[in-house]
Amino acid sequence: MGLNDTPSGERLRISFFGKRNSGKSSLVNAITNQQISVVSDTLGTTTDPVNKAMELLPLGPVLITDTPGYDDIGELGELRVKRTRQILNKTDIAILVTDASRDMDSSEEELITIFKEKNIPYIIAKNKSDLVISDLDTNNSTEDGNIVYTSATNGTNIHLLKETIGRIKPSDENPLRLVGDIINKEDLIVLVIPIDESAPKGRLILPQQQAIRDILESGAYAISTRETELASLLSKMNPKPDLVITDSQAFGKVSKDTPEDIPLTSFSILMARYKGFLETAVMGAKTIDSLKDGDKVLISEGCTHHRQCGDIGTVKLPKWLKERTGKDLEILATSGADFPQNLEEYKLIIHCGGCMLSSREMIYRMKCAIDAGIPFTNYGVAIAYMKGILRRSIGVFPELLEKFDKQ
């Protein structure tokens, strides 16, 4: 996988915030050494977040995001500020770009407060410093963060700003592996990958790719099959596999075809653990049986794709929910960045695995649900619960299994 193929959910997101005409776009262009943002003296030139994937050592693959001005006004301006606030929930490192020729105002102080509340490490880039300071060797460290005096106009201290960013370690950097920490070298791992109308043509989806890579890095053996050939494969394997990992949509058949003495889990369950919300998802799934007629259920996906006739979020999950509960449920499906701010109307949220979202954003969405008192689960966990095999599929995590049995 090349640099540009690194998934956005696996990149550190470095976002540039500030007032209109503070020089955010000029600084982003200087950092990336490309004209990715339109630069103009007109207020509010940046109307939507602009992204650029790049390599920034020693951090590795990152996603640089230029945001609209946080002080924008009017009806459209309020929408742009809302988009900027959404980017905050995805940001691993924040750069506050200010105008060095003046003191910070209330909107910039508000951003610093948000950085602290969300535990986002940040740097203050005092831009346009060439207008007020002749010697720009200044790189001050304060109690709250780093201050770097920059000039996007003449390129002063751009390299210094990059180095300062590179020294920051995000506060919630994911220490987990997808599957590598629960398997051993030379283990036999069977991956069940359905190839049906909802599968992307000519490729595997991200969790499947990540699992294969993690298994190979562990020195174990990855053996892939469709659910239609699983029983035949298992009958030929000696010794038997150490673990079977399945796509959630095939959970029922795979569980039936996999002997009870072979551990079984799903890509979605592994992804929930990797993103940091598996326990919440497992406990939230039990809410399915308490749903009543008229209850609203939110089914949310982190990416945007063309929905097909067998789409899991809009077709299969609603069907399985109504079959399991026997209730007339009101189901709303959202995708991409369209995650509702007001969650109180829902009785349950079922989210995708979040493979295209960062751990920070998945945890943010989970916490939004928890704060609103709404149970939160994901596709794979919900499907395993409705198929009656959740307990088996979390057996690879003994401590979680114990909590599940006690609830």
Side-chain angles (χ1 to χ4, degrees), residues 29 31 43 51 62 73 88 98 107 115 123 149 155 157-158 170 173 181 187 196 230-231 267 274 307 315 325 344 349:
N29 288 342
I31 288 286
L43 288 174
N51 297 317
V62 301
I73 57 176
L88 280 160
T98 69
S107 67
F115 298 157
I123 297 168
Y149 288 82
N157 279 351
I158 299 303
E173 192 172 26
D181 58 323
D187 276 357
D196 55 20
L230 175 63
F267 296 106
Y274 180 68
R307 297 187 185 277
V315 179
T325 64
E344 284 76 8
I349 297 172

Side-chain angles (χ1 to χ4, degrees), residues 192-363:
V192 183
I193 303 173
I195 305 296
D196 55 20
E197 71 278 3
S198 62
K201 186 176 181 179
R203 63 181 177 87
L204 303 179
I205 63 174
L206 184 58
Q208 296 162 358
Q209 297 176 39
Q210 287 181 291
I212 292 172
R213 176 59 184 264
D214 205 16
I215 291 167
L216 295 177
E217 288 183 351
S218 301
Y221 306 112
I223 305 168
S224 300
T225 184
R226 297 181 299 181
E227 76 281 14
T228 47
E229 285 76 45
L230 175 63
S232 175
L233 171 65
L234 294 178
S235 69
K236 298 175 182 178
M237 291 187 68
N238 185 21
K240 63 186 179 184
D242 297 284
L243 176 65
V244 172
I245 305 172
T246 180
D247 183 278
S248 300
Q249 298 183 60
F251 237 144
K253 176 172 175 52
V254 172
S255 179
K256 181 179 179 180
D257 290 345
T258 304
E260 288 290 334
D261 62 342
I262 299 176
L264 170 68
T265 191
S266 76
F267 296 106
S268 191
I269 285 174
L270 293 174
M271 186 61 72
R273 184 185 75 116
Y274 180 68
K275 296 293 182 178
F277 67 99
L278 178 57
E279 182 174 341
T280 298
V282 166
M283 302 310 172
K286 289 189 173 184
T287 306
I288 291 173
D289 288 334
S290 63
L291 294 172
K292 300 180 176 59
D293 286 333
D295 281 350
K296 292 184 177 181
V297 177
L298 174 65
I299 298 178
S300 185
E301 292 190 357
C303 61
T304 302
H305 64 271
H306 173 63
R307 297 187 185 277
Q308 298 177 311
C309 58
D311 182 68
I312 184 171
T314 57
V315 179
K316 294 180 179 178
L317 268 172
K319 175 177 178 289
W320 291 331
L321 276 170
K322 292 179 180 181
E323 287 177 349
R324 171 78 184 202
T325 64
K327 305 298 182 183
D328 183 18
L329 305 173
E330 184 176 344
I331 297 174
L332 174 69
T334 65
S335 61
D338 188 21
F339 189 72
Q341 290 187 319
N342 182 13
L343 300 175
E344 284 76 8
E345 61 181 309
Y346 300 103
K347 296 299 182 182
L348 175 65
I349 297 172
I350 306 178
H351 206 287
C352 71
C355 61
M356 298 304 293
L357 301 177
S358 67
S359 296
R360 178 180 286 276
E361 184 169 11
M362 279 305 307
I363 295 300

